[in-house]
Amino acid sequence: MKKTFKTALVILICIATIAATMVMASAVGTPTARVKAVTYNSVSLYWTAVSGADYYQIQRKTSTTNWVNLSTAYTGTSYTDSKSLVTGTIYGYRVRAVDKNWLGKLTYGAWTSMVVAKPLPAQVTGLRVSAANHTAVQLTWNKVAGATGYTVQFLNGSKWQNYRTLAGNVLVVGNLSLAKTYSFRVLAYRT
């Protein structure tokens, strides 16, 4: 009887040790998330891989919505969200690691800190004077994907002022004075 009790006690201790080891081994770390790129209709995220994670859960929200699952079982460490994004709206994202043990039980890590992105048209590139005479210059620039139009601004003293808004990427600016320097910049916008 005494030997049976000792054997049962040893078995219970072994079971408790195995259970405690399994609980400790199933702890899941927290990735670190960052915004990789933003366009007028997409946000690309990436995060650090978590050792032991089988996949990741990704969520998105705005100031007027609750958290929504974008993916509950994503296996990569980068993700591009292009699901009905609205240009100019601020979106928050978070990611957490998920571990699935050999019994099929899911263990969730902590959510990352929220990362924020605002889809906007890309910066205008290639602004140049493509033609000029003594009173006018022709400005051209590269088209921006998703842009509805462009606002051309000029430098007046130390402040930028709007000169003209147009849909195309060519503008002739006239009534210029000789021997005077003019500075222009172009901003893309999306309605």
Side-chain angles (χ1 to χ4, degrees):
M1 175 91 166
K2 211 174 190 183
K3 193 172 186 180
T4 305
F5 178 72
K6 280 185 177 179
T7 303
L9 186 59
V10 169
I11 291 172
L12 284 173
I13 291 171
C14 287
I15 291 172
T17 303
I18 291 170
T21 303
M22 287 173 59
V23 168
M24 284 191 261
S26 66
V28 181
T30 304
T32 302
R34 301 272 188 268
V35 173
K36 184 177 184 178
V38 179
T39 68
Y40 73 96
N41 67 350
S42 70
V43 173
S44 295
L45 309 168
Y46 71 97
W47 54 90
T48 55
V50 172
S51 178
D54 291 304
Y55 45 83
Y56 300 90
Q57 185 176 7
I58 307 160
Q59 292 187 335
R60 175 184 82 190
K61 74 173 291 194
T62 67
S63 61
T64 59
T65 64
N66 292 323
W67 289 106
V68 175
N69 284 331
L70 296 176
S71 180
T72 56
Y74 192 77
T75 56
T77 56
S78 63
Y79 179 85
T80 298
D81 176 20
S82 57
K83 297 178 181 177
S84 305
L85 296 183
V86 177
T87 302
T89 299
I90 297 173
Y91 294 93
Y93 294 91
R94 65 183 184 178
V95 179
R96 70 177 172 181
V98 182
D99 176 43
K100 184 175 182 180
N101 71 15
W102 59 278
L103 295 172
K105 183 180 182 228
L106 299 178
T107 303
Y108 297 93
W111 288 106
T112 61
S113 298
M114 182 173 66
V115 293
V116 177
K118 184 177 183 181
L120 293 172
Q123 184 175 2
V124 172
T125 60
L127 177 61
R128 62 198 168 280
V129 174
S130 56
N133 64 32
H134 62 285
T135 61
V137 293
Q138 179 174 293
L139 303 175
T140 59
W141 55 90
N142 300 328
K143 290 185 177 182
V144 173
T148 304
Y150 304 91
T151 299
V152 178
Q153 297 181 328
F154 69 96
L155 191 59
N156 185 4
S158 62
K159 294 186 179 179
W160 288 100
Q161 291 186 323
N162 289 349
Y163 175 73
R164 184 150 169 220
T165 299
L166 65 157
N169 63 329
V170 177
L171 175 67
V172 175
V173 180
N175 298 322
L176 302 178
S177 300
L178 288 171
K180 184 175 178 183
T181 301
Y182 294 89
S183 297
F184 297 94
R185 70 180 182 183
V186 181
L187 305 154
Y189 70 87
R190 181 175 173 83
T191 303

